[in-house]
Structures are given as C-alpha cells and as structure tokens.
Amino acid sequence: MLLKKTKGFKPLLITIVFVYLLWLLGLPLWTLIQEAYQEGWTKISQELFSLEVLRAFGLTLLLCLSAVVFNGIFGTALALVLVRQNFRGKSLIFGLLDLPFAISAVVVGYALILLFGHGGILAGMAEALGIRLVFSVPGMVIATLFVTFPFVVRELLPVLQELGEEQEQAAATLGASPRQIFFSVTLPNIKWPLLYGLSLSFARALGEFGAVLVVGAGIAGFTETATIFVFRALEERMYAGAYGASLLLILLSLILLISMEAVKKAKN
Amino acid sequence: MGVEVKNLSKEFNTAQGVHVAVKGVSFEVEEGSLSALLGPSGSGKSTVLRMIAGLETPDSGEVFLNGEAVCHLPPQKRGVGFVFQNYALFKHLKVSENISFGLKLKKVPAEEAQARVEELLVLFGLAGLGERYPHQLSGGQRQRVALARALAPKPKVLLLDEPFGAVDAKIREELRDWLRKLHEDIHVTSLMVTHDQEEALEICDKIVVMNQGLIEQVGKPEEIYNTPASEFVAHFVGSMNIVETKAKAKQVNVGPYRFETEKFDDIEKGDPVKLFFRPQDIYLSSNLKIYRSHGTIERVSFLGINMKVELKSEEGFRFFAIIPQYIFQREGFKEGQVVSYHIEEMSYLNLREGGEIKKFTVSNYL
C-alpha cells in the first residue's frame, strides 16, 4: 500500500537492491575473472591440472560426497526418530540441531583435535580402531559432517510432520513390510526435500574452510582441500592457481545452485 | 463371528498424565454385517478400531477376526482393510496404482491385478480416473479410491475410521447411501467409527455406543433410538428433552403432569428422577380444547422438512417439539401463541437407583 502511494519509491528500492547485490556479489566475481584473464588462461589451466590442485579438488569432492552419504542416512533416520518417537530430552535435541550453524567452524575443528588428539577422551578409541583422526582425512570427514549435519534434518522435519503416519499405516494394513513401507511410501514422499537438504550439505562441504583446516592442518597434496589450496596459493603468491581454483569452485557452486533451484521447483 | 473384542483396554501416556482411552471393552460384530462404533470425540472408539487393525497394541484383552485371535499379529498379517478419515492415499501413485498396491504385495499376477483394478474402478464409480493422481480428485472420489484400495486384496474385515468426516454434507449423504448399497453387494464384515449418529442409524445393522472408554449400549439402530439404555445414549442419539425432578410424597411432577409414584414400582418419596421425551413425541394444537395442557410458543426455528418449536408451559416448564412442516403450516403456529399440547411417550431414570432407563406411556400413568 505504501509503495503504491509514493510514486518513484518502488523503482528506487529495486535500484538499491541491484546496486547492493552488484557491489556484494557481482564486483568481487568480476574482479576475479578480470585478474584471471590478465594471468592468462593457458597458465591457469596448467595450474589447474597440477597434481596438488587435482588432489585438493579430489579431497573436496570426497568430503562433499561423505556429507551427502552420511547425512542422507543418518539425517533421515534422525528426522524420522524426532518426528515419530516421543522420549525424554527430545526438545534438547531439537535445540542442539542448529548448533553447527551457531558455532564457529574453527572452534569445531579445535574441539575435534582436543577430542581425538594426543591425550583426548576418544584418542584411545581412534587408536584402537587404527584410525588417525587428527591431521588426517577421516578427521576432516567428521568435521564436515558436523558442519553439514543440520541441513537434511531441518529440511525433513516439517515434511515428515505434515506427512503423518497414515499413509504408512495404510500400507501396513495392505501387507507392506517396514522395509517396503519405507521405500515405497515414505521415501517417495520425502525425496525432493531430502535431495534439497543433501544439495545444501554438498554446498556447505564444498565451501567449508575453517573446520577442515584446523583438523586437517592443510598439508599440501594430503589434507589440503580446494578452499585451503586457494588460501595457500594466495599467501604464496601463486596467483594463477588461486584464480583458477577459485573460478572452478564458483563454477561448481553455480551448477549446484541451478540444480538446487530445479529441485526446489520439483519439491513445491 | 466376524469381529469379536474381549476386555480390550488401552492407556496412553500424555503430557497431562496417563489417559485411559479404552476401559475393558467387549462386543461382537456378526460376519457380513455393517456395524458402527458411535460416540463423541475422545470416547475411545477410534482406539478400539485401531487395536482391531493392529495399529495400536492393547494393554490387555483380545481381538478375534473370524474366530482367530490376532493380537499377536502385526497389521500386515491380520487381513483387514482400513479406511482413514483423511483418505491416506499414496500421493505419489496414480489411482490405479493405489488400488493395486495391496495386490502387488500379495504377488497377485499382473494381469489378474489389472483386471481386479478395472473391476473395482467400475464398481466404485471411478471408471476413467485410473490414470489420475489423488490430488486431481474430489473428496468423495478420493474416499472411494481409499475404499477400493482397502477392498482390493479382499480383506476379512473392513474397518472405517470416520470415513465421511472429511467431505461436504451433501457428498457425505451420497457416500453413505452408496456404502450401504456397496455393502449389500459385497457383504464384507464392516465396522465403522463415527460420531454422526444419523450416519450410524441410517446405514448400520448394529451400533455400539461408546462414551469415555466404555460401552454404553449395543443394539440395532431402532433399539438404540427407541430404548436408550443410559442417560448418555438418550442424550447423544437423536434429540431429547431431559427434565430433572424430585419425587414428592405421592407424585412425580413434570410440568402439567402428575405421576403417582405408586404406579412405578421403583420410585419412592425423595428420589431424584430424570424424565426423557423425544421432541417428535409431542402433540401440538392451536385449538386449546384438543389437549389438556397449555403453553406459549417462545421460539420457532426452520429445520427444512420439520420445524423446531420451543415452548414454555403454564407451569414455567420449558421443552422443545419437532413437528412436520405441513402440520406447522396447517395449524398456523407463530411465536407468542398459546397452544395446547400432550406428551405421550416418556422414559424415566431413577438417579438414586441408577440402572436402565424405563419407557412408559404417559396416559396410563396419570
């Protein structure tokens, strides 16, 4: 109502939004492309296909996929338990769900080092299992899982709540076993929000820096992810590599965002 | 016996404490009949139905389906069809896939299943809708799909939980008639839960009236209506005027009526007594000489084929009558008019003794 009455106010607002977005998103991206162009595309592609960059991207992909697999299984299971079961401390778990959003990833990484590192409470357990968790890939997987954990659960909770149990009960009276019920009734009903939650987890894992750096220590060619590589390349003035890796990360994010939009449409 | 329930009990733990939903309920439903569990919300009727289906586990008691104890069996193994109030159709499956769901699980050969689905689509007035998704159907159609899906695997017993609760009044009436006809065709033992007494009275062979986790009365619709066993049934099923009074030395007074206590073998001086009479058992006339008692019409409401007439007797006793529209027109009743009336059938309950409500013909006891 206010917008209609004041002439010229609406175009002004839209202009502000555009300028803001351009300044915040467009300009940095443009500068990056500009700088990369000046470095020369040949040099950049050479850098991109160097072993350490390939390894860094390989590791990032591995972390992203572990986030997808683990959150897919445990996120779905947790959401089902939270919606379907009543137990003491349920509200506490609900409160803790968003913890990874609130806690700094660096703190998370540090906490994991304290937990699994020398003298940590779970150090013995990790040792007994023969897994090295600190300054290693398994530790980075755990850190990634921590920061990506809320996405699938948060996406599924309202959907499961709305879905209710009647379709599943109807399937049961028709003779479906619990496994058949899950795969032929529950899963088809939650597949789009699940896929959306998994894309968010993937995106978060792709861009994660702090937690994986602290836990993995960013050892080049070993525990160095794509984002950590960009950081190191900039510090060591390897600009071609930094720009190349940055642009590739942006490209991956864009592909992910576009597919997420498609998922979102299907979801609704 | 199609369904037999023995001493079924169930408690739920809620935030407010333990809620006893069902308290030792026993009843039987004849094979091939259509029966109803009737009661207000919270009476435990749905819980009983869900325990029969295996969707809830009873704390104690047993359920028999066609003579076989089934409480140890999961819902998958009980051979019941269940219809939910909100249809619970599989939203991601087409109508035909919904109906064939149970057939596939039973490993019915594809061709046979296809033929069965086609047969059901026709029988349920859904021909041509097999390729649609549930959200493309009306409420009435959805509920028929839900029924077809439940009946496709030929269950021993069909259980319906408020099956018409989610559709419009008009469609509800149509579905009700349709279900009765369907039942006459296929004769599957059916038990439905409803809070709508009209629905139960109209289409069921037998009604189990429940209140607060207990059974109030079991009987044919006409028994439930004509001879309600308890105050609750009298009040819940159909409309009823209820008057509470106290027996005096020799009389029970209700409005203009003076009943002599000695004519009743179970009423003594001082007993608190409740009297019940149906609004349609009241005769009204604009001619003041026709009936002995007189009263003033306080309010008139239009009910369609009937009229509701609220009266205040000369003695200050208030009640309401329901009379057919044509009588109302013929007599020319209007608000404020003094009319004569007579109540012919009454029932009474001695609150001191409790027990069953007893019916009597007023003119024999005056």
Side-chain angles (χ1 to χ4, degrees):
Chain A
M1 277 324 221
L2 182 76
L3 293 183
K4 268 184 189 166
K5 274 180 190 164
T6 342
K7 251 195 173 177
F9 189 60
K10 204 169 150 187
L12 180 71
L13 269 186
I14 293 171
T15 316
I16 291 174
V17 168
F18 265 100
V19 170
Y20 182 72
L21 284 179
L22 195 72
W23 173 77
L24 203 65
L25 302 175
L27 280 183
L29 195 63
W30 174 247
T31 328
L32 203 62
I33 293 169
Q34 199 69 21
E35 293 286 330
Y37 182 72
Q38 276 167 17
E39 284 287 329
W41 293 113
T42 344
K43 203 172 164 197
I44 283 177
S45 60
Q46 267 173 11
E47 285 291 330
L48 272 182
F49 286 104
S50 72
L51 194 61
E52 54 184 23
V53 176
L54 287 178
R55 279 198 165 174
F57 272 94
L59 179 57
T60 292
L61 203 64
L62 175 76
L63 293 178
C64 290
L65 290 179
S66 353
V68 166
V69 171
F70 279 92
N71 284 316
I73 297 168
F74 295 108
T76 309
L78 182 65
L80 277 168
V81 169
L82 283 177
V83 172
R84 301 284 164 80
Q85 311 294 330
N86 275 318
F87 52 90
R88 257 170 210 275
K90 189 168 154 176
S91 49
L92 185 74
I93 296 187
F94 266 105
L96 287 176
L97 276 184
D98 292 333
L99 199 65
F101 287 145
I103 293 188
S104 156
V106 177
V107 177
V108 173
Y110 186 56
L112 287 176
I113 289 186
L114 289 181
L115 193 61
F116 294 111
H118 194 67
I121 307 170
L122 294 183
M125 192 190 81
E127 216 166 278
L129 288 171
I131 313 168
R132 195 186 139 91
L133 289 167
V134 173
F135 308 136
S136 73
V137 176
M140 296 166 78
V141 170
I142 294 179
T144 308
L145 290 185
F146 185 94
V147 297
T148 56
F149 154 78
F151 295 107
V152 167
V153 184
R154 277 281 170 223
E155 277 297 315
L156 290 186
L157 283 180
V159 183
L160 283 171
Q161 238 142 18
E162 202 199 306
L163 180 65
E165 286 181 75
E166 286 196 343
Q167 287 188 49
E168 295 172 9
Q169 290 173 345
T173 59
L174 290 167
S177 67
R179 197 181 59 84
Q180 287 169 322
I181 293 173
F182 180 77
F183 285 105
S184 60
V185 179
T186 318
L187 198 57
N189 271 299
I190 61 169
K191 67 178 174 197
W192 292 116
L194 174 63
L195 206 55
Y196 192 71
L198 290 176
S199 324
L200 286 172
S201 302
F202 191 98
R204 179 77 163 88
L206 188 68
E208 180 51 34
F209 175 73
V212 287
L213 175 65
V214 176
V215 175
I219 304 160
F222 178 51
T223 58
E224 190 175 63
T225 64
T227 50
I228 300 173
F229 168 78
V230 172
F231 181 68
R232 181 171 65 86
L234 284 172
E235 283 217 310
E236 295 175 4
R237 296 171 190 271
M238 297 156 35
Y239 293 121
Y243 298 147
S246 300
L247 284 177
L248 187 56
L249 273 173
I250 288 171
L251 185 70
L252 287 174
S253 306
L254 277 179
I255 293 171
L256 195 63
L257 279 177
I258 290 166
S259 31
M260 274 164 71
E261 275 307 304
V263 170
K264 218 189 314 187
K265 263 190 196 145
K267 190 175 98 172
N268 295 331
Chain B
M1 205 51 67
V3 180
E4 198 178 345
V5 160
K6 272 191 181 159
N7 263 319
L8 222 48
S9 291
K10 176 77 182 170
E11 288 180 2
F12 290 107
N13 288 314
T14 64
Q16 286 81 39
V18 177
H19 169 64
V20 187
V22 179
K23 306 170 188 167
V25 159
S26 304
F27 65 89
E28 293 171 355
V29 168
E30 287 72 18
E31 210 168 326
S33 72
L34 171 56
S35 305
L37 278 169
L38 174 68
S41 53
S43 57
K45 56 193 190 309
S46 283
T47 309
V48 170
L49 197 77
R50 293 172 62 81
M51 287 193 281
I52 296 172
L55 298 175
E56 299 285 355
T57 315
D59 295 334
S60 62
E62 186 55 86
V63 174
F64 300 88
L65 298 180
N66 291 350
E68 186 198 346
V70 294
C71 270
H72 60 288
L73 295 174
Q76 286 88 345
K77 301 255 164 76
R78 293 198 184 188
V80 299
F82 201 98
V83 176
F84 295 84
Q85 177 175 4
N86 295 310
Y87 329 120
L89 293 177
F90 306 129
K91 286 184 221 158
H92 59 293
L93 298 180
K94 291 175 188 162
V95 167
S96 56
E97 291 168 331
N98 264 283
I99 299 175
S100 64
F101 192 89
L103 299 173
K104 267 192 197 156
L105 291 170
K106 271 191 153 185
K107 305 221 159 46
V108 173
E111 274 179 31
E112 201 184 317
Q114 181 63 27
R116 176 96 175 121
V117 170
E118 289 301 326
E119 176 201 346
L120 285 167
L121 283 173
V122 173
L123 184 64
F124 284 66
L126 297 163
L129 301 179
E131 290 301 298
R132 294 215 189 156
Y133 282 93
H135 70 266
Q136 297 169 310
L137 303 178
S138 70
Q141 288 170 333
R142 283 183 211 179
Q143 198 52 294
R144 278 182 279 156
V145 175
L147 262 162
R149 179 181 68 179
L151 287 172
K154 303 195 170 157
K156 282 184 265 186
V157 174
L158 178 66
L159 303 171
L160 308 106
D161 192 0
E162 299 273 6
F164 312 129
V167 289
D168 302 339
K170 188 75 193 161
I171 306 289
R172 188 152 65 221
E173 254 175 60
E174 283 172 25
L175 275 176
R176 199 195 282 172
D177 291 347
W178 174 82
L179 178 70
R180 179 73 239 184
K181 284 188 194 113
L182 178 80
H183 186 264
E184 279 161 13
D185 287 342
I186 59 174
H187 278 298
V188 59
T189 310
S190 307
L191 179 61
M192 68 184 239
V193 155
T194 179
H195 65 270
D196 183 343
Q197 32 115 355
E198 241 178 69
E199 198 167 282
L201 291 172
E202 189 181 325
I203 67 171
C204 293
D205 304 310
K206 186 180 195 174
I207 298 176
V208 178
V209 186
M210 283 190 71
N211 182 35
Q212 296 185 335
L214 292 168
I215 289 183
E216 293 274 345
Q217 190 174 3
V218 181
K220 290 182 180 154
E222 47 275 33
E223 289 168 0
I224 301 280
Y225 189 83
N226 292 330
T227 51
S230 66
E231 188 184 344
F232 173 79
V233 179
H235 184 72
F236 187 73
V237 181
S239 306
M240 188 70 97
N241 285 292
I242 302 176
V243 188
E244 192 165 353
T245 181
K246 199 165 233 175
K248 288 182 185 163
K250 281 186 172 174
Q251 286 178 328
V252 179
N253 297 353
V254 186
Y257 300 101
R258 309 270 175 272
F259 302 114
E260 289 167 30
T261 46
E262 58 208 39
K263 287 194 177 171
F264 300 89
D265 45 18
D266 55 355
I267 297 180
E268 287 168 23
K269 181 192 166 188
D271 281 354
V273 177
K274 267 194 179 170
L275 284 120
F276 307 86
F277 52 100
R278 296 259 180 224
Q280 63 272 32
D281 289 339
I282 300 167
Y283 305 123
L284 282 187
S285 174
S286 48
N287 184 338
L288 299 180
K289 287 177 190 156
I290 299 269
Y291 305 118
R292 265 192 295 178
S293 319
H294 297 160
T296 311
I297 297 180
E298 289 200 311
R299 207 181 126 81
V300 168
S301 328
F302 180 72
L303 300 180
I305 53 169
N306 290 321
M307 293 297 282
K308 180 177 174 185
V309 180
E310 289 167 62
L311 291 136
K312 185 182 173 189
S313 77
E314 281 175 335
E315 299 80 9
F317 146 73
R318 282 194 166 88
F319 58 99
F320 70 101
I322 288 175
I323 56 172
Q325 194 66 249
Y326 75 93
I327 294 183
F328 185 89
Q329 301 294 350
R330 190 186 65 201
E331 298 286 322
F333 293 132
K334 50 188 175 294
E335 284 175 9
Q337 185 184 349
V338 177
V339 294
S340 67
Y341 69 90
H342 177 62
I343 305 166
E344 184 55 15
E345 295 272 316
M346 275 198 189
S347 305
Y348 72 94
L349 175 68
N350 186 338
L351 297 178
R352 180 180 56 84
E353 296 213 327
E356 297 229 326
I357 293 182
K358 291 167 191 150
K359 199 165 194 169
F360 64 99
T361 304
V362 171
S363 30
N364 298 342
Y365 283 79
L366 287 171

